[in-house]
Amino acid sequence: MNNITLDTTKATQFLKAGTVEGLETKVKSVQETLENGTCEGSDYLGWLHLPTSISDEFLNEIQAVANTFREKCEVVVVAGIGGSYLGPRAVIEALSNSFSWLIPDTKNPRVLYAGNNLGEDYLYELTEYLKDKKFGVINISKSGTTTETALTFRLLKKQCEVQRGKEEAKDVIVAITDPEKGAARKAAEKEGYKTFSIPANVGGRFSVLTPVGLLPIAIAGFDIKALIKGAQDMEKATGLNVPFADNIAAQYAAVRQSLYTEAGKKIEIIENFHPKLHYLNEWWKQLFGESEGKSGKGIFPAGCEFTTDLHSMGQWIQEGERTIFETVLSVEKPNNRVDFPFDEENLDGLNFLAGKRVDEVNKMAELGTQLAHVDGNVPNMRIIVPEVNEYYIGQLIYFFEIACGISGNLSGVNAFNQPGVEAYKKNMFALLDKPGYEAESKAIKERLKK
């Protein structure tokens, strides 16, 4: 099978000749620090060679647990937040029928997501929906104390035990958590739940190729071995030994950083013309936003879906402030075919499209958009995906992960921590009078009086 490819020609024309090539030495140096574990955040590099370290035996173990869920559950709820939910959801939504929620399916459990918000109505409606369902829960949390996920898991655990009994519930509740410590690990061991480990050296946004993503994806009925094979092939195609000119991850990182530092482009819009990739956009936004947004630096990651958003954001992209560049996920071959029909009356004037595939119309919309936006001084890169399947989604995941690691280190930040995420939590705990936050609670309440 072919690899995904990268076209940067409509981006590099906005840079001085030789700008990207001039980064070759720096990019290679960054790759070496990743490879040697000498970069900032090096204790979170477990994702770097994760694909090629995964054995068939491990995937078989994941599949066996997935098969238990598939046999015993109509619905499986993934309780997690951030990468713990965006990763698996990105893959499952990309590979699923767009209308699967309307189609009865006797083969595959319906996968739902919770623990990613504190919406009371959402949780009420979820628990009401589950009342007459045979459901299971995957609790994904390294610590077991992340508020959104822990609160949701407590609700779902109790409901599952009430509806199925404690003994039967043990077969359909799994914890994916820290290898050794944390509340989720202790609770799982006490209750006798099956557990999988999130490697201690893999952060949440890089965890989709661990059990965090693999178990839900397998439960949903997709081929995790093909997913991992795609990631393995991309790991090899973007390795340190691959020449800079042939390494699409190195090229992507170098071009985006050049557009940021040399051309003043502060916002990257990831776009697709394939609605199934919506949550891949969302996962990408977290991956790059949480990795690079530090020390007053960082390209702002935004997302659009075309042609839909051309009718809402298109005007701003075409003629707004020139601080943006675009990266388009371009799918070469759809999985199905629809031909545009001929109409005798032709009141809409579209008979000139009769007999053409809808995808041909979509492709010309994509090309026309690229040309228009480039004419409007918006640099444009294209990532060409041969088709949407497990193998190429696996390639995309690893491609973005390694490109993010290179890009973040090029910008001079620790791409693998997220200290800023804690700020809202401290305020929330203080406002809720959590034990241990008395001083913070007093200070913040005084502040609110002013």
Side-chain angles (χ1 to χ4, degrees), residues 29-202:
S29 177
V30 163
Q31 287 183 279
E32 286 172 359
T33 67
L34 290 170
E35 193 67 37
N36 299 330
T38 55
C39 63
E40 277 195 275
S42 58
D43 48 343
Y44 281 96
L45 290 174
W47 56 272
L48 187 61
H49 294 301
L50 181 64
T52 51
S53 72
I54 295 174
S55 67
D56 279 348
E57 289 76 17
F58 178 69
L59 294 177
N60 289 339
E61 181 186 0
I62 295 275
Q63 190 65 57
V65 175
N67 290 344
T68 297
F69 275 85
R70 288 168 61 78
E71 291 165 8
K72 296 188 175 185
C73 297
E74 301 168 83
V75 179
V76 176
V77 183
V78 175
I81 197 167
S84 300
Y85 116 92
L86 283 172
R89 187 165 193 176
V91 178
I92 291 169
E93 298 275 350
L95 299 173
S96 295
N97 186 300
S98 301
F99 301 95
S100 58
W101 53 284
L102 290 172
I103 303 169
D105 191 341
T106 57
K107 293 182 180 179
N108 302 305
R110 179 158 293 160
V111 179
L112 302 179
Y113 307 90
N116 52 70
N117 64 66
L118 291 169
E120 189 165 358
D121 286 343
Y122 184 91
L123 288 172
Y124 174 83
E125 291 161 5
L126 174 64
T127 54
E128 284 293 302
Y129 171 77
L130 294 173
K131 276 186 175 178
D132 62 348
K133 305 292 189 301
K134 292 181 178 179
F135 77 92
V137 187
I138 304 173
N139 184 32
I140 306 175
S141 175
K142 267 193 176 180
S143 66
T145 58
T146 301
T147 305
E148 295 90 341
T149 304
L151 184 155
T152 299
F153 179 64
R154 182 184 288 199
L155 286 171
L156 295 176
K157 169 182 177 291
K158 288 185 178 296
Q159 183 173 354
C160 187
E161 289 176 346
V162 167
Q163 290 180 203
R164 307 192 73 154
K166 282 185 72 75
E167 285 304 309
E168 187 177 340
K170 288 180 184 180
D171 293 335
V172 292
I173 298 177
V174 166
I176 302 177
T177 187
D178 187 273
E180 299 176 354
K181 61 183 186 296
R185 169 66 60 182
K186 290 178 182 177
E189 291 173 351
K190 178 177 178 292
E191 298 287 353
Y193 302 147
K194 172 70 177 175
T195 62
F196 287 103
S197 295
I198 305 170
N201 58 357
V202 176

Side-chain angles (χ1 to χ4, degrees), residues 348-424:
D348 53 19
L350 293 179
N351 271 352
F352 73 98
L353 298 176
K356 294 183 184 295
R357 291 186 67 170
V358 171
D359 188 61
E360 183 180 347
V361 181
N362 198 35
K363 289 290 194 303
M364 293 307 101
E366 180 183 323
L367 179 57
T369 300
Q370 182 186 37
L371 294 172
H373 289 181
V374 169
D375 288 345
N377 292 316
V378 179
N380 192 294
M381 287 188 279
R382 291 174 68 237
I383 297 165
I384 300 97
V385 184
E387 58 187 292
V388 176
N389 60 25
E390 291 93 333
Y391 178 79
Y392 289 117
I393 294 295
Q395 285 203 351
L396 266 180
I397 288 166
Y398 188 81
F399 163 76
F400 280 130
E401 288 181 347
I402 185 62
C404 183
I406 296 170
S407 182
N409 277 275
L410 279 176
S411 69
V413 301
N414 179 346
F416 310 114
N417 67 357
Q418 55 278 341
V421 173
E422 300 303 314
Y424 91 89

